[in-house]
Amino acid sequence: MKNIPYPYMPTGRTIEYVSPENPFMRAAKEIARGHSLDKAQATGSVVVRAGQIIGHGANGSDYHSKNVCERVKRGIPTGQQYELCEGCHPKNHSEPRAIADARNAGHDTVGADLYLWGHWWCCEPCWNAISEAGIERIYLMEESEILFDRTKPGHIVGRQFE
């Protein structure tokens, strides 16, 4: 297991990593590419149960295209006070959207896995949704902690689909 200082990690939970060639990670990337409204930090998630994708979701809303992010204006660090900005609100994150998609299609999410492309950690509201849904494992792409952390040299944020 990697020793990464995530901004948030619930007690007893872990994040696992898979190759960018993993078919579910590739599917999450395509969801981000095709459906995210946040072009700077596009994320996509797929919920997988019994080897099948049962739900998918992408992040974003059109709020940031029309308004300045309140969190950015105030200099609020990543992972904090999402409720201050309609565009950053957890309802617009890919993880709960993928869970809701699975449930709306009549699928049971207990024991399922979630693959997240485009970010390097899950925030507290997303972890809460993941736990409430009974999702067992979270998978990120190898090197996500570098590729999708805009504070790290070598990040690809803003050009992740090039």
Side-chain angles (χ1 to χ4, degrees):
M1 187 168 94
K2 295 182 175 195
N3 185 17
I4 298 169
Y6 302 105
Y8 179 78
M9 176 64 74
T11 303
R13 298 300 304 251
T14 61
I15 292 176
E16 299 180 40
Y17 290 84
V18 296
S19 159
E21 299 308 314
N22 176 287
F24 299 123
M25 191 57 66
R26 291 174 66 183
K29 179 180 180 180
E30 290 310 310
I31 295 299
R33 182 192 317 263
H35 301 283
S36 177
L37 297 176
D38 183 344
K39 298 309 176 193
Q41 186 97 33
T43 66
S45 293
V46 294
V47 177
V48 176
R49 185 154 191 228
Q52 299 291 319
I53 295 173
I54 61 170
H56 59 78
N59 68 324
S61 74
D62 65 354
Y63 183 87
H64 288 137
S65 67
K66 300 172 185 170
N67 302 280
V68 176
C69 176
E70 189 62 34
R71 293 175 59 248
V72 170
K73 281 189 344 191
R74 295 184 188 191
I76 296 170
T78 186
Q80 297 178 21
Q81 297 182 300
Y82 289 126
E83 70 281 356
L84 294 177
C85 177
E86 178 63 25
C88 297
H89 195 281
K91 70 182 179 187
N92 295 320
H93 294 190
S94 69
E95 302 96 306
R97 284 183 170 176
I99 293 165
D101 183 59
R103 288 179 167 169
N104 289 341
H107 296 287
D108 182 6
T109 56
V110 174
D113 299 326
L114 187 139
Y115 290 76
L116 170 63
W117 185 92
H119 218 318
W120 65 280
W121 65 289
C122 297
C123 67
E124 184 174 3
C126 288
W127 270 114
N128 291 343
I130 288 164
S131 294
E132 194 271 337
I135 303 283
E136 279 191 21
R137 286 171 296 280
I138 305 300
Y139 292 97
L140 298 180
M141 188 174 74
E142 293 170 343
E143 306 299 318
S144 288
E145 72 279 8
I146 297 166
L147 297 172
F148 301 116
D149 181 349
R150 54 181 89 202
T151 68
K152 299 279 173 66
H155 78 82
I156 61 170
V157 177
R159 51 188 171 75
Q160 58 270 45
F161 299 115
E162 293 176 1

